[in-house]
PDB file of all heavy atoms in Angstrom:
ATOM      1  N   LEU B  81     -40.434 -31.939 -17.872  1.00  0.00           N
ATOM      2  CA  LEU B  81     -41.191 -31.153 -18.867  1.00  0.00           C
ATOM      3  C   LEU B  81     -40.288 -30.683 -19.994  1.00  0.00           C
ATOM      4  O   LEU B  81     -40.669 -30.711 -21.159  1.00  0.00           O
ATOM      5  CB  LEU B  81     -41.856 -29.938 -18.180  1.00  0.00           C
ATOM      6  CG  LEU B  81     -43.011 -30.262 -17.205  1.00  0.00           C
ATOM      7  CD1 LEU B  81     -43.269 -29.100 -16.266  1.00  0.00           C
ATOM      8  CD2 LEU B  81     -44.283 -30.585 -18.003  1.00  0.00           C
ATOM      9  N   CYS B  82     -39.089 -30.260 -19.650  1.00  0.00           N
ATOM     10  CA  CYS B  82     -38.140 -29.828 -20.700  1.00  0.00           C
ATOM     11  C   CYS B  82     -37.738 -31.013 -21.566  1.00  0.00           C
ATOM     12  O   CYS B  82     -37.516 -30.877 -22.766  1.00  0.00           O
ATOM     13  CB  CYS B  82     -36.861 -29.264 -20.049  1.00  0.00           C
ATOM     14  SG  CYS B  82     -37.052 -27.653 -19.300  1.00  0.00           S
ATOM     15  N   THR B  83     -37.643 -32.188 -20.952  1.00  0.00           N
ATOM     16  CA  THR B  83     -37.172 -33.360 -21.685  1.00  0.00           C
ATOM     17  C   THR B  83     -38.256 -33.901 -22.611  1.00  0.00           C
ATOM     18  O   THR B  83     -37.962 -34.303 -23.736  1.00  0.00           O
ATOM     19  CB  THR B  83     -36.789 -34.466 -20.659  1.00  0.00           C
ATOM     20  OG1 THR B  83     -35.819 -33.911 -19.753  1.00  0.00           O
ATOM     21  CG2 THR B  83     -36.214 -35.685 -21.348  1.00  0.00           C
ATOM     22  N   TYR B  84     -39.474 -33.881 -22.142  1.00  0.00           N
ATOM     23  CA  TYR B  84     -40.583 -34.482 -22.898  1.00  0.00           C
ATOM     24  C   TYR B  84     -41.758 -33.500 -22.897  1.00  0.00           C
ATOM     25  O   TYR B  84     -42.683 -33.632 -22.107  1.00  0.00           O
ATOM     26  CB  TYR B  84     -40.961 -35.813 -22.258  1.00  0.00           C
ATOM     27  CG  TYR B  84     -41.928 -36.652 -23.073  1.00  0.00           C
ATOM     28  CD1 TYR B  84     -41.621 -36.992 -24.404  1.00  0.00           C
ATOM     29  CD2 TYR B  84     -43.116 -37.117 -22.533  1.00  0.00           C
ATOM     30  CE1 TYR B  84     -42.495 -37.759 -25.149  1.00  0.00           C
ATOM     31  CE2 TYR B  84     -43.990 -37.878 -23.279  1.00  0.00           C
ATOM     32  CZ  TYR B  84     -43.676 -38.204 -24.585  1.00  0.00           C
ATOM     33  OH  TYR B  84     -44.542 -38.970 -25.328  1.00  0.00           O
ATOM     34  N   PRO B  85     -41.676 -32.482 -23.764  1.00  0.00           N
ATOM     35  CA  PRO B  85     -42.626 -31.346 -23.684  1.00  0.00           C
ATOM     36  C   PRO B  85     -44.090 -31.746 -23.870  1.00  0.00           C
ATOM     37  O   PRO B  85     -44.979 -30.983 -23.528  1.00  0.00           O
ATOM     38  CB  PRO B  85     -42.159 -30.430 -24.822  1.00  0.00           C
ATOM     39  CG  PRO B  85     -40.729 -30.794 -25.045  1.00  0.00           C
ATOM     40  CD  PRO B  85     -40.645 -32.251 -24.775  1.00  0.00           C
ATOM     41  N   GLN B  86     -44.344 -32.979 -24.354  1.00  0.00           N
ATOM     42  CA  GLN B  86     -45.745 -33.444 -24.396  1.00  0.00           C
ATOM     43  C   GLN B  86     -46.378 -33.368 -23.026  1.00  0.00           C
ATOM     44  O   GLN B  86     -47.584 -33.220 -22.884  1.00  0.00           O
ATOM     45  CB  GLN B  86     -45.820 -34.902 -24.902  1.00  0.00           C
ATOM     46  CG  GLN B  86     -45.705 -35.040 -26.414  1.00  0.00           C
ATOM     47  CD  GLN B  86     -44.251 -35.113 -26.904  1.00  0.00           C
ATOM     48  OE1 GLN B  86     -43.353 -34.524 -26.266  1.00  0.00           O
ATOM     49  NE2 GLN B  86     -44.013 -35.778 -28.017  1.00  0.00           N
ATOM     50  N   LEU B  87     -45.595 -33.447 -21.970  1.00  0.00           N
ATOM     51  CA  LEU B  87     -46.085 -33.404 -20.587  1.00  0.00           C
ATOM     52  C   LEU B  87     -46.642 -32.033 -20.238  1.00  0.00           C
ATOM     53  O   LEU B  87     -47.313 -31.884 -19.210  1.00  0.00           O
ATOM     54  CB  LEU B  87     -44.987 -33.808 -19.599  1.00  0.00           C
ATOM     55  CG  LEU B  87     -44.530 -35.270 -19.651  1.00  0.00           C
ATOM     56  CD1 LEU B  87     -43.291 -35.459 -18.783  1.00  0.00           C
ATOM     57  CD2 LEU B  87     -45.636 -36.207 -19.188  1.00  0.00           C
ATOM     58  N   LEU B  88     -46.367 -31.028 -21.056  1.00  0.00           N
ATOM     59  CA  LEU B  88     -46.897 -29.691 -20.770  1.00  0.00           C
ATOM     60  C   LEU B  88     -48.435 -29.699 -20.801  1.00  0.00           C
ATOM     61  O   LEU B  88     -49.059 -28.801 -20.249  1.00  0.00           O
ATOM     62  CB  LEU B  88     -46.341 -28.680 -21.779  1.00  0.00           C
ATOM     63  CG  LEU B  88     -44.872 -28.274 -21.565  1.00  0.00           C
ATOM     64  CD1 LEU B  88     -44.305 -27.580 -22.784  1.00  0.00           C
ATOM     65  CD2 LEU B  88     -44.742 -27.357 -20.342  1.00  0.00           C
ATOM     66  N   ASP B  89     -49.015 -30.692 -21.456  1.00  0.00           N
ATOM     67  CA  ASP B  89     -50.478 -30.810 -21.486  1.00  0.00           C
ATOM     68  C   ASP B  89     -51.025 -31.606 -20.331  1.00  0.00           C
ATOM     69  O   ASP B  89     -52.231 -31.810 -20.212  1.00  0.00           O
ATOM     70  CB  ASP B  89     -50.906 -31.523 -22.798  1.00  0.00           C
ATOM     71  CG  ASP B  89     -50.449 -30.784 -24.021  1.00  0.00           C
ATOM     72  OD1 ASP B  89     -50.386 -29.536 -23.973  1.00  0.00           O
ATOM     73  OD2 ASP B  89     -50.098 -31.445 -25.036  1.00  0.00           O
ATOM     74  N   ASP B  90     -50.151 -32.065 -19.464  1.00  0.00           N
ATOM     75  CA  ASP B  90     -50.560 -32.955 -18.373  1.00  0.00           C
ATOM     76  C   ASP B  90     -50.932 -32.109 -17.173  1.00  0.00           C
ATOM     77  O   ASP B  90     -50.142 -31.303 -16.692  1.00  0.00           O
ATOM     78  CB  ASP B  90     -49.362 -33.858 -18.046  1.00  0.00           C
ATOM     79  CG  ASP B  90     -49.750 -35.025 -17.179  1.00  0.00           C
ATOM     80  OD1 ASP B  90     -50.552 -34.832 -16.237  1.00  0.00           O
ATOM     81  OD2 ASP B  90     -49.274 -36.144 -17.449  1.00  0.00           O
ATOM     82  N   ASN B  91     -52.151 -32.312 -16.649  1.00  0.00           N
ATOM     83  CA  ASN B  91     -52.548 -31.468 -15.514  1.00  0.00           C
ATOM     84  C   ASN B  91     -51.951 -31.907 -14.184  1.00  0.00           C
ATOM     85  O   ASN B  91     -52.248 -31.357 -13.127  1.00  0.00           O
ATOM     86  CB  ASN B  91     -54.088 -31.338 -15.432  1.00  0.00           C
ATOM     87  CG  ASN B  91     -54.727 -32.733 -15.458  1.00  0.00           C
ATOM     88  OD1 ASN B  91     -54.061 -33.730 -15.100  1.00  0.00           O
ATOM     89  ND2 ASN B  91     -55.998 -32.789 -15.834  1.00  0.00           N
ATOM     90  N   LYS B  92     -51.097 -32.935 -14.246  1.00  0.00           N
ATOM     91  CA  LYS B  92     -50.435 -33.350 -12.986  1.00  0.00           C
ATOM     92  C   LYS B  92     -49.298 -32.405 -12.596  1.00  0.00           C
ATOM     93  O   LYS B  92     -48.821 -32.443 -11.502  1.00  0.00           O
ATOM     94  CB  LYS B  92     -49.903 -34.758 -13.144  1.00  0.00           C
ATOM     95  CG  LYS B  92     -50.856 -35.798 -12.530  1.00  0.00           C
ATOM     96  CD  LYS B  92     -50.255 -37.177 -12.540  1.00  0.00           C
ATOM     97  CE  LYS B  92     -50.033 -37.596 -13.972  1.00  0.00           C
ATOM     98  NZ  LYS B  92     -49.936 -38.956 -14.284  1.00  0.00           N
ATOM     99  N   PHE B  93     -48.870 -31.589 -13.567  1.00  0.00           N
ATOM    100  CA  PHE B  93     -47.739 -30.723 -13.273  1.00  0.00           C
ATOM    101  C   PHE B  93     -48.212 -29.298 -12.932  1.00  0.00           C
ATOM    102  O   PHE B  93     -49.099 -28.765 -13.597  1.00  0.00           O
ATOM    103  CB  PHE B  93     -46.799 -30.661 -14.491  1.00  0.00           C
ATOM    104  CG  PHE B  93     -46.041 -31.940 -14.677  1.00  0.00           C
ATOM    105  CD1 PHE B  93     -46.600 -33.012 -15.382  1.00  0.00           C
ATOM    106  CD2 PHE B  93     -44.785 -32.088 -14.143  1.00  0.00           C
ATOM    107  CE1 PHE B  93     -45.914 -34.189 -15.555  1.00  0.00           C
ATOM    108  CE2 PHE B  93     -44.072 -33.266 -14.311  1.00  0.00           C
ATOM    109  CZ  PHE B  93     -44.631 -34.321 -15.024  1.00  0.00           C
ATOM    110  N   PRO B  94     -47.620 -28.714 -11.891  1.00  0.00           N
ATOM    111  CA  PRO B  94     -48.042 -27.372 -11.496  1.00  0.00           C
ATOM    112  C   PRO B  94     -47.666 -26.316 -12.547  1.00  0.00           C
ATOM    113  O   PRO B  94     -46.700 -26.484 -13.286  1.00  0.00           O
ATOM    114  CB  PRO B  94     -47.285 -27.119 -10.191  1.00  0.00           C
ATOM    115  CG  PRO B  94     -46.189 -28.106 -10.145  1.00  0.00           C
ATOM    116  CD  PRO B  94     -46.605 -29.282 -10.999  1.00  0.00           C
ATOM    117  N   GLU B  95     -48.414 -25.240 -12.551  1.00  0.00           N
ATOM    118  CA  GLU B  95     -48.232 -24.197 -13.556  1.00  0.00           C
ATOM    119  C   GLU B  95     -46.872 -23.544 -13.498  1.00  0.00           C
ATOM    120  O   GLU B  95     -46.301 -23.216 -14.537  1.00  0.00           O
ATOM    121  CB  GLU B  95     -49.321 -23.116 -13.391  1.00  0.00           C
ATOM    122  CG  GLU B  95     -50.609 -23.423 -14.162  1.00  0.00           C
ATOM    123  CD  GLU B  95     -50.403 -23.868 -15.615  1.00  0.00           C
ATOM    124  OE1 GLU B  95     -49.708 -23.145 -16.346  1.00  0.00           O
ATOM    125  OE2 GLU B  95     -50.944 -24.928 -16.016  1.00  0.00           O
ATOM    126  N   ASP B  96     -46.344 -23.327 -12.303  1.00  0.00           N
ATOM    127  CA  ASP B  96     -45.024 -22.647 -12.233  1.00  0.00           C
ATOM    128  C   ASP B  96     -43.926 -23.542 -12.817  1.00  0.00           C
ATOM    129  O   ASP B  96     -42.997 -23.028 -13.477  1.00  0.00           O
ATOM    130  CB  ASP B  96     -44.686 -22.170 -10.820  1.00  0.00           C
ATOM    131  CG  ASP B  96     -44.844 -23.243  -9.732  1.00  0.00           C
ATOM    132  OD1 ASP B  96     -45.410 -24.336 -10.042  1.00  0.00           O
ATOM    133  OD2 ASP B  96     -44.442 -22.978  -8.590  1.00  0.00           O
TER     134      ASP B  96
END
Side-chain angles (χ1 to χ4, degrees):
Chain B
L81 290 160
C82 287
T83 304
Y84 190 55
Q86 280 86 330
L87 293 171
L88 285 165
D89 301 327
D90 194 318
N91 52 22
K92 262 187 296 202
F93 288 85
E95 274 312 308
D96 50 351

